[in-house]
Amino acid sequence: MQRKLPHSNLYLREEELRRGIELLYFAYRDFTRDPDAILAETGFGRAHHRVLYFVGRNPGTTVSGLLSLLRITKQSLSRVLGQLVEEGYVKQESGVEDRRQRLLYLTDKGETFEKELFATQRQRVAEAYKKAGPEAVSGFWEVLLNIVNEEERDTVLSQIEK
Amino acid sequence: MQRKLPHSNLYLREEELRRGIELLYFAYRDFTRDPDAILAETGFGRAHHRVLYFVGRNPGTTVSGLLSLLRITKQSLSRVLGQLVEEGYVKQESGVEDRRQRLLYLTDKGETFEKELFATQRQRVAEAYKKAGPEAVSGFWEVLLNIVNEEERDTVLSQIEK
DNA sequence: ATATTATGTCAGTGATGTTGACATAATATC
DNA sequence: GATATTATGTCAACATCACTGACATAATAT
């Protein structure tokens, strides 16, 4: 019986870490399911959702702004963004100070669609917040923020606090 | 000033939801980065990691067990699982009660590799737990569990509590 | 005048997922 | 014992989303 404590502690520690990993996996899996289903109807995918989301959050952002936020390559973005522009969800305007830049905005159509996609995740997250309570929500934010790469926490927060 | 409260509440509510959504996105993005880098060296991808992970967690699980846990199709799994078996990371044994079943286990090689992949995420999550503290960790679990589809929470917990 | 930057585009590739159809062997049921 | 169901595997075809590397253009900075 004397050996019980140290063993239990190590065991718990490993279990606690695996619990976080697994919850993160399953939550992310289900969290992307609802919008994916809507997107599939329109012929878009998750990549289109991300662009719609972040352009909606950062009206007037540039192509390179999106590239560094999403950490994908120009070619990956360009295909997705091109489709969104062509089908009238996103509009581009030349920068006023630097006319090389393409400032990106959602059109009305884009905003409506983004709201529809957001609504599914909003519902899920709001429900989870409500069930867990405000203190749990703070903990949720804090742990997640610390999981993000240290160098990028500012970017994440500047997304959020705008 | 009288209008401030209701407006603030609505605004905060939306912001709080978007904060959760964004943190989930960025945390997941970075959380998968370290193992992805190791996997790339061996020619494997994230799908291989998931199989290694869950076979490691559930020694003796069957093909259909994995299918329903991962929610992918047989064809997707079969390609990935086939490679893992062929390269000696996973071994299959016929079921004793039902000989149609293939019971899946990690080989020593598979266990070693899974540990290596796990170590990177372990480090990241342990650090985040440490910085945020135990109460935050509880909140983190609780919110994430409630984000998972209701029907699947048992599955998630039975993964965890084993 | 020259270098750098922001963006776009071409061609090729790879990983991961999908659907649908079909095959085999083992087990369960009538 | 005949038949249905189940667990697994496999084939062919396809879509999405990422990648690399190279090159082009226009605008801005030095």
Side-chain angles (χ1 to χ4, degrees):
Chain A
M1 279 297 178
Q2 296 98 303
R3 290 173 57 249
K4 192 182 157 208
L5 260 181
H7 175 271
S8 287
N9 283 343
L10 281 174
Y11 179 74
L12 274 183
R13 183 155 182 75
E14 166 109 6
E15 277 307 299
E16 283 167 357
L17 294 168
R18 292 209 180 261
R19 174 186 287 233
I21 288 173
E22 287 160 28
L23 279 170
L24 205 44
Y25 168 68
F26 287 113
Y28 193 81
R29 184 196 66 177
D30 290 345
F31 170 74
T32 50
R33 190 153 305 236
D34 302 332
D36 280 358
I38 296 174
L39 289 156
E41 292 168 19
T42 71
F44 289 152
R46 204 175 287 179
H48 300 85
H49 186 192
R50 290 200 283 263
V51 171
L52 285 171
Y53 186 92
F54 286 110
V55 170
R57 275 292 259 181
N58 307 282
T61 191
T62 62
V63 170
S64 48
L66 271 186
L67 286 179
S68 61
L69 191 62
L70 299 176
R71 307 232 143 221
I72 56 175
T73 58
K74 205 167 29 163
Q75 291 70 15
S76 282
L77 177 59
S78 138
R79 192 175 27 217
V80 166
L81 185 56
Q83 287 171 290
L84 289 170
V85 170
E86 197 178 330
E87 302 193 26
Y89 292 88
V90 172
K91 66 187 169 205
Q92 299 176 318
E93 287 175 13
S94 288
V96 277
E97 293 195 345
D98 184 339
R99 286 186 307 178
R100 288 171 304 183
Q101 293 181 330
R102 300 301 167 88
L103 310 186
L104 304 172
Y105 301 90
L106 295 186
T107 61
D108 290 348
K109 186 180 177 186
E111 259 182 35
T112 304
F113 191 47
E114 196 278 326
K115 281 207 186 83
E116 187 188 346
L117 294 167
F118 175 58
T120 65
Q121 296 190 318
R122 168 192 203 104
Q123 162 78 19
R124 185 183 288 270
V125 175
E127 191 91 4
Y129 279 8
K130 194 176 154 192
K131 281 189 188 147
E135 290 200 10
V137 172
S138 299
F140 169 72
W141 289 338
E142 208 178 341
V143 175
L144 280 183
L145 186 61
N146 282 307
I147 288 176
V148 173
N149 282 349
E150 201 164 3
E151 326 83 75
E152 318 231 5
R153 283 178 205 150
D154 292 348
T155 315
V156 176
L157 288 177
S158 77
Q159 274 304 299
I160 288 166
E161 278 146 17
K162 115 170 349 183
Chain B
M1 280 299 179
Q2 297 98 305
R3 289 172 57 248
K4 192 182 158 210
L5 259 181
H7 174 271
S8 287
N9 282 344
L10 281 171
Y11 178 74
L12 274 183
R13 185 156 181 73
E14 166 108 5
E15 277 307 299
E16 283 167 357
L17 294 168
R18 291 208 181 264
R19 174 187 288 234
I21 288 173
E22 287 160 27
L23 279 170
L24 206 43
Y25 169 67
F26 288 114
Y28 194 80
R29 185 195 66 176
D30 290 345
F31 169 74
T32 49
R33 190 152 305 233
D34 301 333
D36 280 358
I38 296 175
L39 289 156
E41 292 168 19
T42 71
F44 289 152
R46 205 175 288 179
H48 301 85
H49 186 190
R50 290 201 283 263
V51 171
L52 285 171
Y53 186 93
F54 287 110
V55 170
R57 274 292 258 182
N58 306 281
T61 191
T62 62
V63 170
S64 48
L66 270 187
L67 286 179
S68 60
L69 191 62
L70 300 176
R71 306 233 144 223
I72 56 175
T73 58
K74 204 169 27 163
Q75 291 70 12
S76 280
L77 176 59
S78 134
R79 195 173 23 215
V80 166
L81 185 56
Q83 287 171 291
L84 289 170
V85 170
E86 197 177 330
E87 302 194 24
Y89 292 87
V90 171
K91 65 185 170 206
Q92 299 176 318
E93 287 176 12
S94 289
V96 276
E97 295 196 342
D98 184 340
R99 285 188 307 177
R100 290 171 303 181
Q101 294 181 331
R102 301 299 169 87
L103 310 186
L104 304 173
Y105 301 91
L106 295 187
T107 61
D108 289 348
K109 186 180 176 187
E111 260 183 33
T112 304
F113 191 46
E114 197 278 327
K115 280 208 186 83
E116 187 188 346
L117 294 167
F118 176 58
T120 65
Q121 297 190 317
R122 167 192 205 105
Q123 163 76 19
R124 184 183 288 268
V125 174
E127 191 91 4
Y129 279 9
K130 195 177 156 192
K131 281 189 187 147
E135 291 202 8
V137 172
S138 299
F140 169 73
W141 288 338
E142 208 178 342
V143 174
L144 279 184
L145 185 61
N146 283 306
I147 287 176
V148 174
N149 282 350
E150 201 165 1
E151 324 84 74
E152 318 230 5
R153 282 177 207 151
D154 291 348
T155 315
V156 175
L157 288 177
S158 77
Q159 274 303 301
I160 288 166
E161 276 146 20
K162 115 167 352 184

